[in-house]
Amino acid sequence: MIDATTVRAVNAMTARWARATATDGGTVFTAAGVWPLLALLAGGADGPARRELEGALGVGADAAGALGGEALGAMAAMAGVDAATGLWTRQELPIRPEWEATLPPGVRSTLTGDSERDRKALDAWASQRTRSAIPELPVALDSGTQLVLAGALTVRTAWREPFRPAWLKPESGPWQGRSLAGLSRTMEDLDGVLRVVPGTPAGPLTLSGIAGDNGLDVHLVLGAEGVPGGAVLEAGTGALAGQYAGWPGSALPLGAAGPGVQVMDVPSWDPTPRVTLTTPQFTVRARHDLLRHDELFGLRTAQDDSRGHFPGISPVPLALSAGEQSMTASFSAEGFWAAAVTAFSMGVGSAPPQRTARVIVVRYDRPFGFLAVHRATGLVLTAGWVTEPEAGSETMW
């Protein structure tokens, strides 16, 4: 089981990264794919670089290396999650055995110095570890590259209850008039699938939890119109952690009860309350230059190539030359799938009814966020913002 301190630290990085992305465009990212690698780097860093990494990680560098290695092992052991680590070094670069011991065993390979040959080997590793979803390692290589540390993370789950195709053509908002590949599902568990959180720094939020069959859940997050995606995702991460009070589906009042939520009493033979959730199918892809947010990840000083910053990794002076993440995520009628590679390189209806039933209709018909979470620990594995859902049929028939 992953350490609770690590869960809190990774989720805090997820929230900060969400805030930093505050963009109108779609995106997807995983702090769970970055944090362990930064922790391993922190364990070998010194001076200002070490302090900056500690601040970004939320844990001390003395413990970071061990926690990073433990996090990688714990995620690899989670059902539906595959986590792999790769370390490539120049043959002549000495690596301190005590630092290498914090990595999973057998992950070290050699860089030949032939950029084309090395590129093919590293790209093949990324493709193999993500089932071809990420076809290349997202860092540049050159003759000066001494070390590459990479992590691959895939997350997959099948819904306990699949969705059915649905007609979805928004009447307002950014997707107004577009025919979308809608998905719909009706459930009787009002509280298990729906929560409205009225008071967050981003305003009111609607969260819909969709349970996977292997201990992973995906939570859809909708904020008020016009609120930036980064703010919605940051607040949604806090809401899942219980930082803000909310209302379960059964406690919602009649009428507009939250973003995208309508509660009504309708004529029905069956008085059982139910919630109908409609959302578009989507695929989101993104590539992130982590050094553009060097303060967020504690990497500002580590880029200074006038000196070395990682004496605990190698006696040869090393400075960070690149750090990137490539990621893709898909949400379909059957389930959810996401893959990421992160790398750092160093150089130097019917009959007339008789009664009524409480019905809650939830529609994600404008840009919204999603958070894929390990149910038992609360670890946020991936986060993203959807602005371009998949297109659907132009007619209902």
Side-chain angles (χ1 to χ4, degrees):
M1 186 71 72
I2 192 167
D3 185 88
T5 299
T6 301
V7 171
R8 288 192 296 270
V10 173
N11 289 356
M13 181 173 284
T14 298
R16 295 196 306 272
W17 196 348
R19 184 194 319 151
T21 64
T23 174
D24 294 330
T27 193
V28 59
F29 58 90
T30 170
V34 175
W35 194 95
L37 300 184
L38 294 176
L40 292 171
L41 293 178
D46 75 347
R50 182 182 179 93
R51 292 191 291 273
E52 289 175 9
L53 283 164
E54 287 179 326
L57 290 165
V59 299
D62 288 340
L67 287 173
E70 290 169 6
L72 291 167
M75 286 191 290
M78 293 176 180
V81 179
D82 289 322
T85 308
L87 173 69
W88 296 264
T89 65
R90 293 289 288 269
Q91 190 165 10
E92 63 273 20
L93 181 72
I95 297 296
R96 298 195 187 277
E98 58 270 27
W99 181 80
E100 189 173 354
T102 63
L103 277 67
V107 302
R108 187 177 176 186
S109 300
T110 301
L111 292 173
T112 67
D114 180 333
S115 298
E116 184 175 349
R117 180 178 174 184
D118 291 338
R119 166 55 59 194
K120 288 181 180 179
L122 270 62
D123 288 352
W125 181 89
S127 180
Q128 181 181 6
R129 296 305 189 279
T130 62
R131 303 184 185 185
S132 302
I134 309 294
E136 61 182 23
L137 202 76
V139 290
L141 299 177
D142 57 37
S143 59
T145 302
Q146 297 293 309
L147 178 151
V148 175
L149 178 65
L153 182 69
T154 61
V155 178
R156 62 190 182 280
T157 191
W159 308 133
R160 286 178 176 172
E161 282 183 62
F163 286 78
R164 65 180 186 276
W167 172 253
L168 182 57
K169 197 165 188 176
E171 298 178 354
S172 62
W175 301 338
Q176 182 177 2
R178 292 174 56 181
S179 181
L180 306 179
L183 303 172
S184 185
R185 197 168 74 180
T186 298
M187 298 145 287
E188 295 179 359
D189 182 9
L190 273 59
D191 295 348
V193 75
L194 176 64
R195 189 156 66 102
V196 173
V197 185
T200 80
L205 299 181
T206 295
L207 293 95
S208 299
I210 301 135
D213 64 355
N214 57 1
L216 303 181
D217 299 328
V218 175
H219 298 263
L220 305 182
V221 190
L222 186 66
E225 289 193 56
V227 178
V232 172
L233 282 172
E234 180 184 14
T237 302
L240 287 181
Q243 294 178 13
Y244 316 113
W247 298 95
S250 61
L252 296 177
L254 286 168
V261 179
Q262 286 285 336
V263 182
M264 60 194 97
D265 287 333
V266 301
S268 174
W269 284 108
D270 182 358
T272 305
R274 58 191 182 272
V275 56
T276 296
L277 170 66
T278 303
T279 182
Q281 186 166 302
F282 63 82
T283 295
V284 185
R285 298 180 178 86
R287 182 161 175 165
H288 304 279
D289 181 353
L290 304 182
L291 301 190
R292 289 187 59 189
H293 299 291
D294 51 15
E295 289 190 11
L296 169 63
F297 300 110
L299 298 173
R300 172 163 292 183
T301 297
Q303 300 172 66
D304 178 6
D305 60 7
S306 67
R307 54 154 292 189
H309 307 283
F310 300 95
I313 295 178
S314 173
V316 174
L318 294 173
L320 196 68
S321 56
E324 297 200 34
Q325 182 180 94
S326 289
M327 186 161 189
T328 183
S330 294
F331 184 107
S332 69
E334 293 77 29
F336 178 83
W337 154 261
V341 172
T342 307
F344 295 97
S345 66
M346 294 185 185
V348 160
S350 57
Q354 302 297 316
R355 292 183 283 183
T356 63
R358 176 63 52 91
V359 173
I360 304 175
V361 177
V362 187
R363 287 171 62 90
Y364 288 80
D365 58 2
R366 52 185 169 79
F368 62 92
F370 63 91
L371 298 161
V373 179
H374 183 245
R375 189 181 306 143
T377 63
L379 177 68
V380 177
L381 292 161
T382 68
W385 185 249
V386 181
T387 59
E388 285 299 324
E390 294 184 20
S393 171
E394 289 298 325
T395 66
M396 293 182 65
W397 316 109

